[in-house]
Amino acid sequence: LAEYFNANWLPEGWSWAGYLLAALIHCGLLLMVVAVAAMFFIWLERKASGRIQDRLGPTRVGGRFGWLQSLADGIKLLTKEDLVPGKADSLLFRLAPYVAFAASFGAFLALPFSNGWVGAHLNIAVFFILAVLGLEIFGTILAGYASASKWSLYGAMREAAQVVSYEVPLGLCVIVPVMICGSMDLIQIANCQQGLFTNWLIFHDPFTFVVFWVYFACATASVNRAPFDLAEAESELVAGFHTEYSGFRWSIFFMAEYGSMFVVSGLAAILFFGGWNGPIPIASWLGLTYATGEDAWLLGSLLGPTMAGYLGSLLGLLIFLIKSILGVTLMIWARWTLPRLRIDQVITMCWKYCVPIASVAFVGVLFWQVLGIWSPNDLFSPQRPGQVREGWVTDAKEPGTTEDTSTGLRDAPVVAKGGSS
Amino acid sequence: VTILLATVNWHTFFFMLFALLACLFALGVLFSNNIVRMAFYLVVSLGALAGLQFLAGAHFVGAMQVMIYVGGTMVLLVFGVMLTAHAAFTEMKTRSGDWLLSIGLGIALLVLLVQTALRVETWQSPQISQEKVSPADAHTTTQIGLGLAGVRADRLDEDDPVRAAGMSGYLLAFELIAIHLLVVLVGAAFMARPRRLPRRDEVPRNEDERHDLTT
């Protein structure tokens, strides 16, 4: 984007402005996604909870379906009095919502929305997202501590215990797709699930199917949603860590919460459901790819690679958004139909169920890969996912001729040599 | 202004920004008395260091920094402070002996670091020659991962036995750190334990006191 600006719009010597403009556009777009997604999900949550409880939910604001309700609420929140409790640590109290939001927003930087459409293309995107999302809890703990309120402190302590525990199974679950695709790059993980829906990693083998559900439970717990919303627990702790917050600061916490719900759902869509690859590869059938020359066909040869690829990516974006929104809807559904767990049940579920199940499934997938057992992913796959490894493909080479010009880091023999020493 | 902006090296600008943030908040840790604020400043300082690593293109190390140091400080905050502090907003007073000791240690470390830093011959950003990098090895974390697991991939073809000795990788250091962390955890649990258990002759007399003790 920056190079486009520099080449077409800006005079010589203004390259800094091009980079600045490109960065601002990326950040602005992501900020729009977070803010608009939060408003949409709050509306969705109200409608869904209403229907689940045999009510209508908001109906009037904005004409039909109450679709402007979130905006009206936002204006209401902006005009509320901004309170800082007298005994609070006012610096940390004011900073806490921004810490939570910055962590949630930071995760969006590495989350790809379509093939190649990502704020910052990191080759360790999975790891980055997990690391940054984990920081959101820091905002919660600061808020709980700085409020100088018993309810808040209890909420923060519960959150801390819960999240420190749930990061373990969450990490174990995320390792499984990384292991199968051989990359921590989210774009590569999604692209190794190209083709029919049988290539999605959730259908790789029975273990990955289990791993997805464990991942989803742990992700729900790590973004602090019911049935794991012990940090809020309005029936016991008033409102938990945000008891003392009001107005705009309070709403920032909610933007962070809905933002991270979207992130973990999007991560689930990429890791287990093929990301922007639909159940049927319509885009590649119609030729909506960046392929040029002989490879381009149908719409691709009609529109040219740039336009066709753009339309294909747009379709991918739509598919990705649908999958992510489905994930968020599942979380909303769970929230309004399941009772809240007690803290001991939450910890029990983590250490006695999620961690062992995830560990066994991890070892199971490992053996599935090593033994080369048949999986549905082999059905219509042009290329076995395990063979795509950080930018190079093994089946281009003969198995015996692994010596390359670069350092020996190829196949089993090399590793065995190192291991024996 | 435009000429001035055009001459700015933006890489240097962001380096300065993150470095300044790291230093300022490190000083904040030093001069604050409130232990939770100290932890917060430490998190910002370590986060700025992660920013420097991202700026240098070391994404994996940067994410490691965020995961382990920034996240670890958070855990330190929770378990170290909230379990041991018995009053709200604990203030920590540093004794003058501790000041002296830490200033001495700090100066010693600074001397060592400055000496090492000045030994670098050319102060320029590392240039990667394109011939040395094959597409397979560019931007991989596999080598670091294997190194942590005990295999130094870059030393495998070494004939010289002296240099090949490094092939065991970072496993020993890794395990040492793991044991160190375990000791720290045990120590934290030891420090957080109840100070004094009720002796047998202090059996609560009535129902209320017994209730107090059990809760």
Side-chain angles (χ1 to χ4, degrees), chain A residues 16 89 123 145 157 390 406, chain B residues 10 37 82 134 137 139-140:
Chain A
W16 62 272
D89 184 333
N123 60 331
Y145 176 81
M157 284 303 295
E390 301 198 9
S406 52
Chain B
W10 287 90
R37 280 197 186 183
M82 291 192 174
S134 73
D137 292 326
H139 311 295
T140 68

Side-chain angles (χ1 to χ4, degrees), chain A residues 88-176:
Chain A
D89 184 333
S90 72
L91 174 78
L92 295 181
F93 185 84
R94 284 167 205 272
L95 273 173
Y98 303 111
V99 173
F101 182 75
S104 171
F105 181 66
F108 273 90
L109 286 179
L111 185 76
F113 286 81
S114 186
N115 194 0
W117 289 10
V118 55
H121 185 180
L122 303 180
N123 60 331
I124 44 123
V126 179
F127 188 44
F128 178 82
I129 288 181
L130 279 191
V132 171
L133 261 191
L135 294 185
E136 197 193 335
I137 315 313
F138 198 59
T140 310
I141 291 172
L142 280 184
Y145 176 81
S147 296
S149 153
K150 287 192 176 76
W151 308 123
S152 305
L153 193 61
Y154 272 123
M157 284 303 295
R158 286 177 172 191
E159 171 97 357
Q162 176 181 331
V163 170
V164 167
S165 310
Y166 273 91
E167 285 214 334
V168 176
L170 193 69
L172 276 173
C173 294
V174 165
I175 283 177
V176 168

Side-chain angles (χ1 to χ4, degrees), chain A residues 13-14 16 87 89 91 95 122-124 128 131 135 138 141-142 145 157 390 406-407 409-410 414 417 421, chain B residues 2 5-6 10 34 36-37 40 54 59 70 74 78 82 89 134 136-137 139-140 142-143 146 156 167:
Chain A
W14 278 64
W16 62 272
K87 294 215 167 163
D89 184 333
L91 174 78
L95 273 173
L122 303 180
N123 60 331
I124 44 123
F128 178 82
L135 294 185
F138 198 59
I141 291 172
L142 280 184
Y145 176 81
M157 284 303 295
E390 301 198 9
S406 52
T407 50
L409 223 203
R410 285 294 169 266
V414 177
K417 192 173 130 199
S421 66
Chain B
T2 55
L5 281 174
W10 287 90
N34 182 323
V36 177
R37 280 197 186 183
F40 176 70
F54 278 110
H59 297 156
V70 184
M74 193 182 76
V78 172
M82 291 192 174
F89 301 124
S134 73
D137 292 326
H139 311 295
T140 68
T142 316
Q143 293 200 3
L146 279 177
L156 283 177
M167 269 169 52

